[in-house]
């Protein structure tokens, strides 16, 4: 059972760790520049798309604040972009729209060379900044038609967290595997309906259940701007999702490449975590409760084609979509891997159930989340303590030790006077 | 101009007893104190046995008596910020900056600095980095 100051100290460590898993400010700004550059190219006056006022906007983890560093420092950051048109030529089929976006990308000398194989719904650009090899993005560009009217509604809808009408945010997308519609369907209302912005809003509503004091918190209004600011103040649910994704990355990093493809997908992790989150005001409690509740939100439905029950994780803004649809594929290990991952999470975090010290925690966090971010975390907090002493705001409790800046007064707590450690070596 | 007066031994003892009641004190010849007690680095840190000796108007000496020896970071050969590695005598302030003198209350300076040293020691043990700040002196130079 953690005492209050122990809980405070652990929360500080876990929060700082999550911050170290996040992308940096320069990565964030470079990501914006990169999708704006692609967007500018796609919306150029002489492109066939231009008359339909395409807008380029990021979706997914970038806007809901749950993006993390790739496990490999040389690896790509995943950026999901929607290329949304306000209308289309009446005779355009899904294929026509998809090809138009693809052709425009091909016309660009550089993007042409960066274009990956055509995806089911997206075009993928393996985006590299010319000069700086550290900017690497795996950019999925999703062509879409908006039949509701985009810009006016998006920012209003996304920041009005009271109204939960997600349908206004639906967009029509193409799906290469839906045959024969892909080749013949011209009415966008009959295309696959997707709702990435509705999902983002749903997530924000969940994160906002936060029951703590809301000062200096993440701003969703800011996050959905065309050029969102880099934010470091995030809500417990956002930090929990970052930690969970990283834990998954570390767990599966040494699996063979076939098995790696079956690791739990971020979409499932994010959705179940958000469903399991109940407004906890600190990351430790949020993490614990999410891990123990997540699996309760996996439903079971009868699949008539397969003739059996399958697991179902609903898209919260589209009950007909099952995020776990690939779990039911023949010979799939996905479901097994998912539960093994949750079991490992429970195991790794059982450290708090018995007596532990800083050394135990450091060791456990390193094996779960990786050496570098954990070491950086401990060093950053220690440096903070040093600065707090320098500024005369660091405190100790005679029995509990160094506390940092705490606002309670007690006769066992006193200030640490500024001083300079000295000595040989 | 008021000149601060050195605290007497009974005054230092008074504060040590008041602020660290779980410690024990012995006084010798009226001008030497030995304080022994346990200090914790931080709420999730470890507990250490500490010995502090002080001769009136001299400088306090602080030792970690348990664990002895203190475990070192991987490849390190010596503890950071100590006067004496074997005796585990801690280096808590820079004398040249006059950060401590006998007008100060030991219980309000030296012991909190000891706790802080223990915290940074634990982090140094884990990461190899001492983030507590401080000065180093070339081993050839004389200590002040």
């Amino acid at each position: 059972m953690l005492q209050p100051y122990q809980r405070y100290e652990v929360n500080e460590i876990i929060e700082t760790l999550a911050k170290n898993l996040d992308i940096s400010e320069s990565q964030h700004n470079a990501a914006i520049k990169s999708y704006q550059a692609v967007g500018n190219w796609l919306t150029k006056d002489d492109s066939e798309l231009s008359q339909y006022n395409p807008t380029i906007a990021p979706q997914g983890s970038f806007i809901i604040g749950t993006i993390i560093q790739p496990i490999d420092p040389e690896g790509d950051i995943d950026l999901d972009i929607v290329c949304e048109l306000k209308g289309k030529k009446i005779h355009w089929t899904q294929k026509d729209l998809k090809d138009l976006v693809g052709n425009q990308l091909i016309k660009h000398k550089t993007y042409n060379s960066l274009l990956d194989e055509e995806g089911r719904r997206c075009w993928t650009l393996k985006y590299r900044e010319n000069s700086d090899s550290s900017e690497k993005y795996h950019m999925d560009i999703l062509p879409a038609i908006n039949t509701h009217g985009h810009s006016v509604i998006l920012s209003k809808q996304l920041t009005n967290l009271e109204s939960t009408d997600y349908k206004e945010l639906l967009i029509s997308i193409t799906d290469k595997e839906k045959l024969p519609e892909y080749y013949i369907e011209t009415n966008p209302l009959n295309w696959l309906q997707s709702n990435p912005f509705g999902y983002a809003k749903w997530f924000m509503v969940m994160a906002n259940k936060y029951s703590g004091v809301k000062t200096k918190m993440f701003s969703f209004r800011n996050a959905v701007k065309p050029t969102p600011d880099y934010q470091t103040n995030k809500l417990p649910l956002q930090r929990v999702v970052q930690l969970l994704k990283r834990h998954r990355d570390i767990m599966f990093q040494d699996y063979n490449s076939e098995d790696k493809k079956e690791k739990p997908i971020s979409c499932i992790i994010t959705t179940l975590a958000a469903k399991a989150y109940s407004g906890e005001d600190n990351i430790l409690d949020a993490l614990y409760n999410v891990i123990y509740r997540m699996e309760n939100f996996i439903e079971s439905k009868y699949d008539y084609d397969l003739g059996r029950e399958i697991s179902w994780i609903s898209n919260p803004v589209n009950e007909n979509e099952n995020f776990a649809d690939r779990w039911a594929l023949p010979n799939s290990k996905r479901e097994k891997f998912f539960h093994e991952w949750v079991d490992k999470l429970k195991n790794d975090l059982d450290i708090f159930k018995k007596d532990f010290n800083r050394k135990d925690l450091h060791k456990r966090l390193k094996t779960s989340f990786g050496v570098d971010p954990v070491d950086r975390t401990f060093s950053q907090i220690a440096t903070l303590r040093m600065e707090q002493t320098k500024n005369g705001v660091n405190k100790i409790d005679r029995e509990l030790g160094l506390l940092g800046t705490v606002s309670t007064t007690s006769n066992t707590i006193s200030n640490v006077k500024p001083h300079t450690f000295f000595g040989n070596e | 101009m008021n000149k601060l007066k050195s605290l007497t031994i009974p005054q230092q003892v008074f504060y040590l007893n008041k602020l660290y009641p779980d410690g024990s004190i012995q006084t010798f010849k009226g001008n030497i104190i030995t304080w022994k007690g346990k200090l914790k680095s931080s709420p999730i840190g470890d507990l250490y046995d500490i010995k502090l000796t002080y001769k009136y108007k001299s400088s306090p000496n602080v030792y970690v008596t348990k664990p002895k020896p203190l475990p070192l970071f991987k490849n390190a050969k010596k503890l950071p910020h100590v006067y004496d590695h074997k005796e585990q005598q801690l280096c808590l302030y820079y004398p040249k900056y006059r950060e401590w003198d006998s007008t100060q209350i030991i219980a309000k300076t030296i012991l909190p600095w000891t706790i802080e040293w223990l915290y940074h020691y634990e982090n140094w043990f884990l990461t190899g980095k001492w983030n507590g700040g401080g000065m180093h002196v070339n081993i050839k130079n004389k200590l002040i």
Side-chain angles (χ1 to χ4, degrees):
Chain A
M1 195 53 225
L2 283 180
Q3 301 304 311
Y5 281 116
Q6 291 178 318
R7 171 172 291 273
Y8 181 84
E9 189 171 10
V10 170
N11 261 307
E12 184 182 28
I13 290 170
I14 296 187
E15 178 160 19
T16 307
L17 174 59
K19 285 185 183 176
N20 274 310
L21 300 175
D22 211 330
I23 58 172
S24 67
E25 182 160 17
S26 61
Q27 286 171 316
H28 170 96
N29 293 334
I32 292 175
K33 273 201 353 226
S34 66
Y35 70 70
Q36 284 185 325
V38 173
N40 287 339
W41 178 256
L42 288 173
T43 59
K44 254 166 77 79
D45 286 336
D46 61 353
S47 91
E48 280 211 59
L49 306 164
S50 62
Q51 66 172 142
Y52 298 105
N53 290 322
T55 47
I56 306 301
Q59 49 126 336
S61 61
F62 190 79
I63 60 173
I64 62 174
T66 57
I67 195 167
I68 58 171
Q69 297 276 357
I71 184 95
D72 169 11
E74 298 299 304
D76 291 9
I77 291 175
D78 286 334
L79 211 46
D80 296 324
I81 311 293
V82 179
C83 173
E84 196 179 296
L85 275 59
K86 302 302 168 298
K88 68 183 216 17
K89 289 217 164 80
I90 296 185
H91 62 82
W92 284 355
T93 62
Q94 292 185 27
K95 181 172 181 342
D96 289 327
L97 172 65
K98 183 85 177 293
D99 285 348
L100 275 158
V101 172
N103 289 335
Q104 185 64 15
L105 289 171
I106 289 171
K107 277 192 201 159
H108 191 292
K109 246 188 354 204
T110 313
Y111 298 155
N112 182 25
S113 60
L114 301 175
L115 211 50
D116 209 5
E117 266 183 49
E118 183 177 357
R120 180 173 167 180
R121 300 171 186 172
C122 294
W123 290 103
T124 300
L125 270 187
K126 289 206 180 266
Y127 193 91
R128 301 280 182 277
E129 265 296 1
N130 291 330
S131 48
D132 190 350
S133 65
S134 68
E135 306 310 339
K136 290 184 197 159
Y137 305 98
H138 183 272
M139 206 186 282
D140 277 341
I141 300 168
L142 179 71
I145 305 286
N146 186 306
T147 52
H148 298 276
H150 174 104
S151 338
V152 176
I153 291 179
L154 182 61
S155 53
K156 199 175 80 170
Q157 262 276 5
L158 284 180
T159 53
N160 176 12
L161 294 180
E162 297 307 313
S163 121
T164 49
D165 181 6
Y166 299 114
K167 293 212 171 42
E168 283 188 17
L169 296 163
L170 280 168
I171 54 178
S172 303
I173 64 173
T174 72
D175 186 346
K176 217 166 66 153
E177 288 174 22
K178 273 259 156 51
L179 306 169
E181 289 93 331
Y182 183 67
Y183 290 98
I184 62 174
E185 186 55 70
T186 55
N187 182 355
L189 291 172
N190 293 335
W191 294 7
L192 184 60
Q193 299 293 297
S194 181
N195 205 343
F197 300 113
Y199 181 88
K201 177 168 173 179
W202 172 82
F203 182 86
M204 294 173 188
V205 170
M206 298 295 112
N208 242 43
K209 280 189 194 167
Y210 172 71
S211 60
V213 179
K214 285 185 183 175
T215 52
K216 287 212 305 176
M217 290 268 75
F218 186 79
S219 160
F220 285 115
R221 170 165 284 128
N222 193 308
V224 300
K225 283 182 352 187
T227 50
D229 295 327
Y230 182 68
Q231 299 190 56
T232 54
N233 287 321
K234 296 196 173 170
L235 293 161
L237 177 58
Q238 291 168 302
R239 292 300 183 201
V240 166
V241 171
Q242 289 178 311
L243 289 162
L244 292 178
K245 292 193 320 189
R246 174 70 177 194
H247 183 274
R248 171 219 43 203
D249 287 348
I250 294 282
M251 176 178 173
F252 287 88
Q253 69 179 331
D254 293 326
Y255 280 47
N256 68 54
S257 60
E258 281 310 301
D259 282 351
K260 242 192 236 190
K261 291 183 189 154
E262 312 231 343
K263 68 185 185 195
I265 58 176
S266 296
C267 182
I268 286 181
I269 295 176
T270 307
T271 301
L272 290 177
K275 287 186 174 176
Y277 176 67
S278 312
E280 291 86 348
D281 70 359
N282 67 86
I283 298 179
L284 185 60
D285 285 340
L287 189 59
Y288 233 87
N289 291 340
V290 160
I291 288 168
Y292 279 89
R293 285 197 208 124
M294 270 200 311
E295 287 165 311
N296 299 338
F297 294 92
I298 301 172
E299 300 167 284
S300 208
K301 285 197 186 175
Y302 190 81
D303 183 305
Y304 287 93
D305 291 331
L306 292 172
R308 60 178 171 91
E309 295 270 316
I310 58 164
S311 290
W312 191 281
I313 299 172
S314 274
N315 179 342
V317 294
N318 178 6
E319 300 293 310
N320 294 323
E321 185 176 1
N322 178 13
F323 286 147
D325 55 1
R326 285 189 268 186
W327 288 14
L329 291 174
N331 302 321
S332 173
K333 296 181 185 172
R334 286 171 194 266
E335 187 156 14
K336 179 171 92 99
F337 281 174
F338 177 82
H339 291 295
E340 283 174 3
W341 171 67
V342 175
D343 286 341
K344 184 168 195 297
L345 271 169
K346 289 177 181 170
N347 240 351
D348 289 351
L349 287 168
D350 75 357
I351 185 177
F352 300 115
K353 289 190 177 154
K354 22 189 174 158
D355 277 335
F356 70 95
N357 65 9
R358 172 175 291 102
K359 293 177 189 175
D360 299 328
L361 182 61
H362 180 260
K363 186 169 176 199
R364 184 64 65 91
L365 290 177
K366 273 197 311 185
T367 46
S368 301
F369 298 101
V371 174
D372 287 341
V374 173
D375 273 351
R376 256 183 287 134
T377 295
F378 278 71
S379 282
Q380 282 165 3
I381 297 175
T383 302
L384 176 62
R385 290 293 169 274
M386 184 262 293
E387 278 158 13
Q388 288 166 337
T389 294
K390 221 157 78 169
N391 296 326
V393 295
N394 203 0
K395 296 201 201 278
I396 54 114
D397 178 284
R398 69 175 178 230
E399 277 165 43
L400 301 174
L402 199 64
L403 299 177
T405 46
V406 292
S407 52
T408 57
T409 46
S410 151
N411 64 353
T412 58
I413 295 181
S414 55
N415 272 52
V416 181
K417 284 201 178 142
H419 69 119
T420 314
F421 289 109
F422 186 50
N424 288 334
E425 201 94 32
Chain B
M1 186 185 94
N2 266 336
K3 200 179 168 191
L4 286 168
K5 286 178 87 163
S6 290
L7 268 72
T8 64
I9 290 288
Q11 282 174 322
Q12 294 286 10
V13 170
F14 169 77
Y15 281 110
L16 283 166
N17 280 328
K18 178 170 185 243
L19 298 176
Y20 292 86
D22 292 339
S24 65
I25 304 190
Q26 286 181 304
T27 337
F28 296 109
K29 298 178 181 172
N31 72 339
I32 297 178
I33 313 173
T34 301
W35 179 90
K36 287 187 184 165
K38 291 185 195 288
L39 294 179
K40 196 165 200 240
S41 58
S42 84
I44 64 168
D46 295 335
L47 208 55
Y48 301 80
D49 285 16
I50 304 293
K51 182 176 86 174
L52 179 148
T53 59
Y54 173 64
K55 183 172 174 188
Y56 180 61
K57 279 199 181 176
S58 173
S59 25
N61 298 318
V62 180
Y63 306 86
V64 178
T65 53
K66 202 159 122 191
K68 194 172 177 184
L70 283 165
L72 301 179
F73 170 72
K74 271 189 295 206
N75 298 323
K77 299 269 166 26
K78 288 198 165 167
L79 290 166
H81 294 290
V82 290
Y83 280 118
D84 185 321
H85 167 80
K86 228 177 107 187
E87 291 307 308
Q88 303 189 154
Q89 185 191 353
L90 311 184
C91 222
L92 301 173
Y93 62 92
Y94 189 38
K96 241 187 174 167
Y97 290 164
R98 300 197 190 287
E99 287 170 340
W100 196 88
D101 60 35
S102 54
T103 67
Q104 306 235 24
I105 303 170
I106 290 174
K108 286 192 176 180
T109 51
I110 302 292
L111 290 189
W113 293 344
T114 303
I115 288 173
E116 210 188 349
W117 188 97
L118 294 169
Y119 173 85
H120 287 292
Y121 154 73
E122 285 185 7
N123 274 293
W124 168 84
F125 170 78
L126 294 173
T127 67
K129 295 206 173 104
W130 174 274
N131 294 109
M135 308 277 297
H136 288 125
V137 121
N138 190 302
I139 210 153
K140 294 203 180 90
N141 291 356
K142 279 185 106 128
L143 291 171
I144 301 100

